[in-house]
Amino acid sequence: MIIGIESIGIYTARYVIDLGVLADARGVDPAKYYVGLGQEMMSIAPLNEDVVTLGANAARLALEKVAAREAIGTVIFATETGVDQSKAAGIYLHNLLGLGCNCRVVELKQACYSSTAALQFAAALVARQPEHKVLVVAADIARYGLGTAGEPTQGCGAVAMVVSSEPKLVELEPHSGMYTEDLMDFWRPNYREEALVDGKLSARMYISVLEKAFEDYRSRSGVEFKDIDEFCYHLPFTRMAEKAHARLARKFGGVVLRPEEAVAQIGHSLDYNRIIGNSYTAALYIGLASLLDNNEDDLAGRRIGFYSYGSGCVGEYFSGRIMEGYGEWLHTEHHREALAGRVNIGIEEYERLYREKLPTDGSEFITPKHRVGCYSLVGICDHKRIYESVGE
Ligand code: COA
């Protein structure tokens, strides 16, 4: 039996700001963001879009070509932008998508890493019950303070993947390399809306954990750097992945890559992130969708190495093989339409949207009606979030 990713759908928010506009407003050379961070734009969510609506839009797409939708027996929702301390965001999504009641739903958290835990747990469930399909959803809204160093590395997005014993896109290989260490490089206490981050430490740890997780992966799997054809990295910003790839190539492949060579090797996995920004748990797998959608070569049979990093910190390196005929199962046009359909905003609108907040005392509130995808957060009533399907 093989187990892997049967389908993938991605989604991002309604608005987008060009990082050149942000740079001008902050008195920064735009090249710092465009070249130094490797980012061009970041998606901005209005109040009526949250991780539930972003995730539901991605999942709607992921489920479109999936046979036997009733076989979805588990929904795992990975996020660090949880909407409730108790109730899983996935239950709202499960309802919006009209999934069957004989289904387990749970939410997972460990910074940007939990989507990978979700994928591995899903594969284990399918190994136990091969007729079972698992819907893995990862969605986040990355927020740092206005005017902080982290501000240009915001963004938001969602990815949904169906994991099953009928993978049409990627067969997951069984070996993983793992690394965990108690570290304060990025965290968000319950009383804060913006994360606290030691950005330089997080960037150093991203690379050092990559080396440790890869070492564990190669010793468990026997797979060497030279045996990997394509690479997907967690993407807080694209320059981070380019640097990490150059380090991996040097340390484990004995190859010294010039920056443009590193970009060429991982290039298409970066395309979507460069114009979406960081989407925390979703970023690595939006990178996978980007690689599959945008690479003009037939990638069938090629091995992909995945590096997942979540501050705090946990890292995992694992791999998969791209399936024959994967191209016909992709949603490339929908993905491109969602990205191209975003509305460009200026600095005043961005700051206004940033400052808009839901009430924190549970009082009745109707969210402003921004045109969004198929699902919208209508408001809050009696401390309860109200969602609706709105069509496109
Ligand atoms: N033209 C081209 N490049 C420029 C530049 C210019 N005018 N000005 C600066 N740069 C380069 C810098 O040299 C640096 O590249 P390098 O690291 O290869 O030397 C890059 O742009 C970023 O500049 P830096 O001064 O390091 O940025 P910063 O301190 O303002 O913030 C982060 C960068 C990533 C630390 C910050 O955005 C952050 O904290 N983000 C959130 C945390 C995060 O994403 N962590 C990643 C791991 S999970």
Side-chain angles (χ1 to χ4, degrees), residues 29 31-32 35-37 144 149-150 153 197 199-200 202-203 206 236-237 239-240 243 309 311:
D29 179 356
K32 175 172 177 181
V35 182
L37 296 175
Y144 300 95
T153 62
V197 60
K200 302 281 186 213
S202 72
Y206 176 109
F237 50 94
R239 259 310 266 149
M240 185 78 247
K243 282 186 183 178
Y309 176 75
S311 292

Side-chain angles (χ1 to χ4, degrees), residues 23-43:
D24 285 347
R26 301 293 177 249
V28 170
D29 179 356
K32 175 172 177 181
Y33 299 165
Y34 289 148
V35 182
L37 296 175
Q39 291 300 115
E40 286 172 23
M41 301 176 191
M42 59 189 193
S43 289

Side-chain angles (χ1 to χ4, degrees), residues 138-193:
D140 270 304
I141 298 177
R143 260 175 89 90
Y144 300 95
L146 292 179
T148 63
E151 187 180 27
T153 62
Q154 298 177 111
C156 62
V159 64
M161 295 174 279
V162 173
V163 177
S164 76
S165 56
E166 301 169 284
K168 304 287 194 288
L169 303 179
V170 177
E171 174 190 354
L172 293 171
E173 295 183 307
H175 299 290
S176 276
M178 269 90 64
Y179 183 82
T180 290
E181 182 181 330
D182 186 359
L183 186 83
M184 297 305 278
D185 57 337
F186 175 107
W187 67 108
R188 183 163 70 83
N190 286 344
Y191 48 82
R192 283 184 63 100
E193 289 209 0

Side-chain angles (χ1 to χ4, degrees), residues 13 38-39 56 96 114 125 136 145 151 164 172 215 217 232 310 316 353 373 391:
Q39 291 300 115
L96 288 170
S114 63
L125 282 169
V136 169
E151 187 180 27
S164 76
L172 293 171
E215 182 65 65
Y217 164 78
C232 286
E316 179 163 341
L353 287 172

